[in-house]
């Protein structure tokens, strides 16, 4: 893929508006999905979902305000991204950035296909898709759908608590730190009390999906001293994926939701191959995630015109990732006739490449949420902001750190508002429940019957592009409301809901959380085996 030809470095939100327009009162029709006009009537029709979105956003903004008040006297690390980093790396800004970069690079596809229970019992274990299990091909139904889990050993709680509460006045507050950081909400988690499975009977902490992966990888460093993220360590395998997989097995072996039956992390071999490929590319290009961050001058995307950054040839962090490795070539091909603009990149087939860029943006989000907290934590625990020797005194990172320790609301990137939602499985599910995303009959039949979609095909592209359009419209709509009056579920008195200023990160989390835990379980998300999400 010639990324220089199809991607200029503009933000995903700007691309969506350029290609599909900014008018929320006009429908956008894609081959297999439609984004309807966002009207007051639509909001009233789906009042319960909209009310829930607003409440989840409010909870986040109120929590941030409380955290801001506590920051001046509290040294406890609370952010989930920074807590996913092994404590032994927190002394180094560079190590934190490189660890999070590798972590996000393999944060995809957390669902598996396993053998039916009777077959698994006969074999003595459950088999993950790439290790000989039942594999559905695109167009076939996924009959062995299963989540990936891991069990948290009891001793891990105390260790994590000690890290979280270093310097705090009391360690009691963190006695269940690991549970609070990674575990499913007690009233929402699969496999909790009443399910009759082994994990519930033993009253253990069961982690699922991305949380399970983060915990296993952090524990691999903390307990097993396995530097799975390190460029030198990975290049020591000289591209031998089988040898690397064998050496790093502890990073990727979890269980089914019974807490007992072994289960490889879905797409384990693909993850290992990606790690080896990234490490090789970093070595050949003599760079790193940290170096790319330093060179971006504080911009996620292409800097504004007529700025010093543009004159210096700065690309922005996400465009640099896209140019660095094919792993970040996350684009959806759409016929130009589907877009409202005739401008933009195209190939000989008259296709417009719409940037989705889920994991490159998520890498920026992880750093946006982690580094300011790391700087404040180090300032409060060491009485100064320690400048890494590798960072010149003129670095924008040093300037940003000095501001961050004084102001809780200071972020990392100047253009963080240009980040879009991260298109995954759950966000389209929520938007569909809210009436903001309508699948055509063909696509609805595929999704509702757990038919595996072909990566990059028109069906998947329709979902991802429509998700970006609908989410952008929803964000603008929410921020245009001083107060939104919605009918209650039983059509009794009206409920007044006031929306505070909503950021992309607020809405991204709200849509994901509602799709994961609050949309009725009978509503299904689409399935597509891909490394992009």
């Amino acid at each position: 893929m010639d990324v220089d030809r199809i991607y200029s470095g503009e933000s995903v939100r700007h691309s969506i508006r350029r290609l599909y327009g900014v008018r929320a009162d006009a429908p956008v029709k894609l081959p297999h999905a439609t984004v309807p006009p966002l009207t007051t009537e639509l909001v009233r029709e789906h009042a319960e979902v909209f009310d829930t979105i607003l409440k989840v956003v409010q909870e986040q903004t109120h929590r941030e305000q409380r955290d801001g008040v506590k920051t001046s006297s509290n040294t406890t690390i609370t952010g989930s991204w920074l807590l996913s980093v092994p404590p032994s790396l927190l002394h180094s800004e560079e190590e934190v950035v490189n660890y999070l970069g590798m972590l996000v690079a393999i944060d995809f596809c957390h669902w598996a296909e396993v053998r039916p229970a009777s077959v698994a019992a006969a074999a003595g274990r459950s088999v993950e898709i790439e290790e000989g299990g039942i594999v559905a091909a695109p167009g076939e139904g996924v009959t062995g759908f299963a989540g990936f889990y891991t069990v948290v050993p009891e001793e891990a709680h105390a260790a994590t608590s000690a890290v979280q509460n270093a310097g705090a006045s009391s360690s009691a507050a963190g006695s269940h730190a690991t549970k609070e950081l990674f575990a499913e909400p007690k009233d929402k988690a699969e496999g909790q009390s009443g399910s009759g499975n082994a994990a519930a009977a033993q009253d253990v902490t069961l982690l699922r999906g991305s949380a399970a992966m983060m915990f296993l990888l952090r524990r691999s460093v903390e307990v097993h001293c396995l530097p799975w993220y390190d460029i030198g360590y990975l290049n020591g395998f000289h591209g031998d994926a089988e040898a690397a997989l064998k050496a790093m097995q502890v990073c990727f072996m979890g269980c089914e939701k019974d807490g007992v039956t072994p289960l490889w992390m879905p797409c384990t071999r693909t993850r290992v191959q990606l790690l080896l490929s990234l490490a090789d590319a970093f070595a050949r290009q003599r760079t790193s995630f940290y170096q790319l961050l330093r060179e971006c001058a504080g911009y996620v995307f292409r800097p504004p015109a007529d700025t010093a950054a543009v004159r210096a040839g700065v690309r922005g962090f996400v465009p640099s990732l896209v140019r660095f490795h094919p792993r970040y070539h996350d684009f959806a091909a759409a016929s130009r006739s589907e877009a409202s603009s005739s401008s933009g990149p195209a190939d000989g087939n008259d296709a417009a490449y719409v940037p989705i860029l889920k994991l490159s943006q998520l890498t920026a989000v992880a750093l946006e949420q982690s580094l300011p907290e790391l700087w404040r934590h180090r300032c409060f625990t060491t009485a100064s902001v320690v400048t890494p020797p590798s960072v010149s005194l003129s670095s924008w990172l040093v300037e940003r750190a000095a501001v961050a320790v004084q102001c809780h609301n200071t972020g990392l990137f100047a253009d963080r508002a240009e980040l879009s939602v991260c298109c995954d499985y759950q966000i389209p599910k929520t938007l569909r429940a809210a009436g903001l995303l309508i699948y055509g009959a063909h696509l609805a039949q595929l999704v509702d019957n757990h038919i595996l979609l072909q990566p990059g095909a028109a069906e998947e592209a329709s979902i991802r592009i429509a998700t970006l359009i609908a989410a952008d419209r929803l964000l603008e709509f929410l921020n245009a409301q001083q107060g939104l009056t919605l009918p209650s579920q039983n059509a009794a008195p009206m409920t007044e809901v006031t929306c505070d200023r909503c950021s992309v990160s607020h809405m991204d989390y709200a849509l994901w959380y509602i799709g994961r835990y609050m949309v009725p379980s009978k509503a299904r998300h689409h399935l597509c085996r891909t490394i992009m999400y």
Side-chain angles (χ1 to χ4, degrees), residues 75 113 293 333 356 478:
T75 62
E113 291 177 82
L293 178 66
I356 309 295
L478 293 180

Side-chain angles (χ1 to χ4, degrees), residues 140-409:
E140 296 179 348
V142 176
T143 58
F145 181 87
F148 173 76
Y149 296 82
T150 192
V151 174
V152 179
E154 281 302 315
E155 67 271 16
H157 298 312
T160 306
S161 300
V163 172
Q164 273 196 290
N165 292 278
S169 59
S170 171
S171 61
S175 61
H176 298 290
T178 302
K179 291 183 180 180
E180 294 173 356
L181 170 60
F182 292 118
E184 306 276 287
K186 290 183 180 297
D187 60 337
K188 305 293 183 183
E190 291 186 38
Q192 292 295 330
S193 59
S195 65
N197 63 50
Q202 298 171 16
D203 191 28
V204 300
T205 299
L206 198 62
L207 310 182
R208 176 186 174 192
S210 182
M213 181 195 75
M214 290 181 178
F215 177 77
L216 285 172
L217 292 175
R218 188 181 72 173
R219 187 168 172 79
S220 296
V221 178
E222 287 183 304
V223 176
H224 303 284
C225 301
L226 190 65
W228 63 268
Y229 63 94
D230 183 74
I231 294 173
Y233 172 78
L234 292 169
N235 282 330
F237 293 104
H238 305 289
D240 189 340
E242 293 302 320
L245 194 156
K246 183 177 180 180
M248 296 190 289
Q249 177 175 333
V250 68
C251 299
F252 303 106
M253 181 58 73
C255 61
E256 293 188 29
K257 72 175 182 179
D258 61 6
V260 176
T261 308
L263 183 67
W264 280 94
M265 189 181 296
C267 303
T268 289
R269 185 169 284 102
T270 301
R271 295 177 204 272
V272 171
Q273 290 169 342
L274 268 175
L275 289 174
L276 296 179
S277 179
L278 287 167
D280 177 67
F282 278 130
R284 284 187 291 101
Q285 298 181 38
R286 297 184 179 181
T287 189
S288 65
F289 286 109
Y290 188 63
Q291 184 63 26
L292 294 177
L293 178 66
R294 287 187 59 196
E295 293 170 354
C296 79
Y299 290 98
V300 180
F301 299 103
R302 181 183 61 203
D306 299 324
T307 60
V310 169
R311 291 190 291 273
V314 171
R315 295 192 184 96
F317 185 66
V318 164
S320 294
L321 287 177
V322 173
R323 288 172 57 92
F324 163 67
H325 195 277
R327 191 277 161 278
Y328 299 104
H329 294 179
D330 186 11
F331 298 87
S335 169
R336 190 173 302 287
S337 61
E338 299 164 16
S340 61
S341 170
S342 61
S343 63
D347 64 11
N349 295 320
D350 191 37
Y353 284 94
V354 181
I356 309 295
L357 308 179
K358 194 264 189 180
L359 289 182
S360 55
Q361 288 194 98
L362 189 60
T363 305
V365 169
L367 300 182
E368 170 73 27
Q369 296 180 4
S370 297
L371 285 187
E373 184 175 21
L374 176 67
W375 292 329
R376 288 189 290 268
H377 173 73
R378 288 164 59 180
C379 178
F380 294 141
T381 55
T382 65
S384 65
V385 180
V386 180
T387 302
S390 60
V391 179
S392 66
L393 294 178
S394 61
S395 169
W396 69 272
L397 283 169
V398 175
E399 297 174 359
R400 201 60 51 87
V403 176
V405 297
Q406 300 295 328
C407 180
H408 175 76
N409 293 324

